[in-house]
Amino acid sequence: MNIREMRENLGITQREFADRYHIPFRTLQNWEEGKRQPAEYIVRLLEDRIRTDLINRKTAILPKFSPEKSDLPKRSDYIGAMSWLKAVNDCIGENIVFALDDALMCQGNFGGRSDEYIVWVYGNDSASRFNGVVVLGNQINPYDVKEKNGLRYTNFNRTIADSLANESILDMQGITEAVSKYYYKQGNSFEGIFVAPEYQEEFEKLADDAIDYYEN
């Protein structure tokens, strides 16, 4: 793919592409117009990143119970979110990365709910053979992944990005609570949180809700 094809496959503007991949806007214009050529290693890096982004642009749909699928361990049978997630991880038995609310639990930013049913992961589509599992994508950048107590999960910034991308189907209580804790721990600051330009407006709304979370 050339640079224009990469951008058009993502369906975004030149400005959005430049901001997303930290490329000077004028440089991107010159590349697309053929006035200059990017170094080969830059093209390869962009292709790799964009292929991953395209794979992970699946439309997540909340799964309905199916008697043909296997059941995961029930949250109500475990004391503490981590013990439940370990049981879920062992049950799925694949190399998964927990995301969204489950990542927040791994991070210690959200306690979860006693009636938890939905499990958000990155991994193979075969993980969806279990009731309640939503596969957000098949690949994820290793730099976005943390590991603790044998569990792999998205880091805080990636978790926020995923929550904004899936806001229409996600109960935002967990992420609002986590962002609120972050804000007050950082001395009333969101410094250190980075979101893609296309989610900036949504994050500003989330930030306002997070500031009000413990005050109301």
Side-chain angles (χ1 to χ4, degrees), residues 107-110 156 177-191 214:
Q107 297 161 14
N109 290 319
F110 181 51
F156 193 56
E177 180 180 322
V179 172
S180 182
K181 287 181 179 179
Y182 183 97
Y183 175 76
Y184 289 107
K185 284 183 179 178
Q186 295 294 318
N188 297 355
S189 171
F190 292 114
E191 184 176 356
Y214 285 113

Side-chain angles (χ1 to χ4, degrees), residues 107-123:
Q107 297 161 14
N109 290 319
F110 181 51
R113 308 168 184 83
S114 60
D115 60 346
E116 206 78 51
Y117 172 70
I118 300 298
V119 175
W120 309 86
V121 303
Y122 283 95

Side-chain angles (χ1 to χ4, degrees), residues 17-104:
F17 189 93
D19 289 343
R20 186 183 187 104
Y21 299 108
H22 307 290
I23 302 168
F25 181 63
R26 190 60 191 162
T27 298
L28 176 62
Q29 286 185 316
N30 287 336
W31 287 351
E32 290 201 3
E33 293 169 5
K35 294 178 180 178
R36 297 182 62 184
Q37 295 296 322
E40 187 62 31
Y41 78 91
I42 291 177
V43 175
R44 289 197 300 270
L45 286 172
L46 279 172
E47 282 186 334
D48 182 64
R49 173 72 186 277
I50 289 165
R51 284 196 181 99
T52 298
D53 286 351
L54 286 169
I55 288 172
N56 291 334
R57 286 179 56 138
K58 293 184 175 181
T59 300
I61 300 174
L62 290 180
K64 296 181 179 179
F65 176 82
S66 171
E68 297 178 359
K69 292 185 176 183
S70 301
D71 291 332
L72 290 172
K74 293 181 179 179
R75 172 68 178 88
S76 57
D77 291 340
Y78 293 82
I79 299 175
M82 292 299 288
S83 60
W84 173 62
L85 289 175
K86 287 180 180 178
V88 168
N89 188 75
D90 292 342
C91 186
I92 294 177
E94 297 178 7
N95 190 24
I96 60 171
V97 175
F98 286 112
L100 295 173
D101 283 359
D102 306 296
L104 294 176

Side-chain angles (χ1 to χ4, degrees), residues 180 183-184 188 208-216:
S180 182
Y183 175 76
Y184 289 107
N188 297 355
D208 288 340
D209 290 342
I211 291 172
D212 293 339
Y213 188 81
Y214 285 113
E215 293 181 351
N216 298 328

